[in-house]
Each structure stands twice: as structure tokens, then as C-alpha cells.
Amino acid sequence: MRPLDGIQVVTLEHAIAAPFCTRQLADLGARVIKVERPGVGDFARAYDERVRGLASHFVWTNRSKESLTLDVKHPEAAAILAKLLADADVLVQNLAPGAAERLGLSHDSLHESCPRLIVCDISGYGADGPYRDKKAYDLLIQSESGFLSVTGSPEEPAKAGCSIADIAAGMYAFTNILAALMERSKTGRGCRIDVSMLESMVEWMCYPLYYAFDGATPPQIEWQRDIFAVD
């Protein structure tokens, strides 16, 4: 037995953040059904061919899942998705801003027919605010969150080598879904989870914020190097 045996997850996902989240669920025993576009599937499939012809990012974030192709804009797609969601415990999506609402896959649209369903939306900037309709990518979020100010050097800021904004959002989505499943076991009701890449990275930047609290000097890259210097 694994902790999430018997839990079914339907996911409309691509790239890294949502797939990384749902891979954690799959590793714990959940049945994860990944809905992909016909012909090309998740565009992360085309990142490279390093793993025996498969993309390294795709292999990393999609093990243990099932996959089906579906044109979600086809007139018959809504009925197919409804059938999948009728048996699902969790819906995860990181489609383009506004796409889930247009497809009738928002928490508000699904709550009446699927009151136990947990809906997790992952985006660049969240469901409200002036940037809600903007797309995002990892380097942009690393920059906007201030993360680049504590990496590299003062002369040459540097991004983290891996997609940490995506990873951060995926992990916060994963932990919140686990908490929502625990809550549902007590209340019998599902809920909506809204995770953004920017908020996830801003949380990680709270240490430099508190280090510079009340007018103190912000953390310097040279100061960090001194801590880890070896004679």
C-alpha cells in the first residue's frame, strides 16, 4: 500500500510546474491521468532527446502517469472530461491564463456537479491582480522575485541552473493538495487551490527580506561567499 492508493488525479498540464506536482502524487500511489493535445502532446516532449530519444525534462516530471490525447476544444471533449472528473479526486491545470474557465474547468463551474473535487490552478501570477492574464517563464519569475539579486556576482547576476520557479510552484501545489485531501477527509468537500510561480519564489526570498529588516543592509553576495569560504 502507498499513501495515495485509490486517489485519482486528472491533469491538463505542460512544461514543469504542474507535471512536477502531479509526479509527486503519482509516486505516492495516485492514479494520474495526463490529458495531452493530439499530435504533439505536452510541448516539454520536444525539449531535447537525451533519454533514449525522449526529453530529459519530460522523463523527469512524468514517470508513473497514464496519458491520453484529447482535443479539449472539440465539441465532444466536454463530455469526455466530465466523465473523467466524475471519478476524480483532484484536477490540476496550468493551461494558459483563462483557458480553464473557458473550458468550464474552474472550481466554480465544477463544484455543483463534483463537490468533492479538489481543483488546483497553477499559473505565473495567480488568479487576480494586474498580471493575472500574463504568461510567465522561469527566468522571468527568478528576476521579478529578486532571486537574481542573491546569485551570481554584483557585476554579473546569474539565474539558478535548474527551473527553480517551476519547481517551487510544483512543490507548493503538491503539499497543498495533500493538505486539501486531509481536509476533505474531515469535511467531505473539495476546495480550490491557487498557486503562482511568483508567490512561490517571493516566499523563498523572505530570508533576504528579513535579513534586511528595519533598514539593515541587504545580504551581499560577497558576504555569502565568506560564509562558505574554505582556507
Side-chain angles (χ1 to χ4, degrees):
M1 290 289 293
R2 289 180 292 175
L4 296 184
D5 282 348
I7 296 295
Q8 181 162 302
V9 179
V10 175
T11 180
L12 286 80
E13 60 182 21
H14 54 248
I16 305 302
F20 190 60
C21 163
T22 56
R23 195 213 76 189
Q24 316 299 316
L25 299 172
D27 284 348
L28 291 180
R31 181 189 183 195
V32 177
I33 302 173
K34 181 183 179 81
V35 179
E36 301 187 64
R37 70 192 76 182
V40 294
D42 181 342
F43 59 73
R45 288 179 178 271
Y47 279 0
D48 57 57
E49 298 180 348
R50 301 302 296 269
V51 187
R52 298 178 181 175
L54 300 175
S56 53
H57 278 81
F58 188 84
V59 172
W60 169 48
T61 58
N62 290 283
R63 67 178 181 231
S64 307
K65 301 179 186 179
E66 301 175 29
S67 176
L68 64 86
T69 59
L70 179 67
D71 179 358
V72 295
K73 297 180 180 179
H74 192 280
E76 297 179 13
I80 295 172
L81 288 170
K83 187 174 182 180
L84 286 173
L85 293 173
D87 297 325
D89 299 282
V90 182
L91 168 65
V92 179
Q93 68 86 19
N94 69 331
L95 301 174
E101 288 85 353
R102 292 192 294 272
L103 293 169
L105 297 176
S106 68
H107 177 263
D108 289 345
S109 299
L110 295 169
H111 182 66
E112 184 174 351
S113 59
C114 304
R116 291 176 52 82
L117 184 67
I118 296 163
V119 178
C120 180
D121 302 321
I122 305 174
S123 63
Y125 300 100
D128 50 24
Y131 286 6
R132 60 164 292 174
D133 295 324
K134 292 184 178 292
K135 295 182 180 181
Y137 57 92
D138 191 82
L139 176 56
L140 181 63
I141 298 297
Q142 287 194 40
S143 301
E144 290 178 324
S145 67
F147 185 81
L148 267 63
S149 70
V150 294
T151 57
S153 69
E155 297 77 23
E156 296 181 345
K159 72 179 288 291
C162 57
S163 303
I164 62 166
D166 287 291
I167 294 168
M171 289 304 296
Y172 281 121
F174 167 57
T175 55
N176 276 274
I177 289 170
L178 295 180
L181 288 168
M182 293 180 66
E183 181 182 51
R184 193 188 67 175
S185 70
K186 303 172 185 176
T187 66
R189 298 189 302 272
C191 65
R192 178 172 184 256
I193 299 167
D194 177 26
V195 174
S196 77
M197 293 167 63
L198 181 60
E199 289 173 304
S200 300
M201 285 304 300
V202 167
E203 160 61 19
W204 284 16
M205 289 301 294
C206 281
Y207 141 67
L209 173 65
Y210 290 135
Y211 182 79
F213 182 73
D214 204 17
T217 304
Q220 299 298 312
I221 295 171
E222 290 84 1
W223 174 82
Q224 294 180 2
R225 287 174 179 163
D226 289 342
I227 288 178
F228 297 106
V230 177
D231 293 333

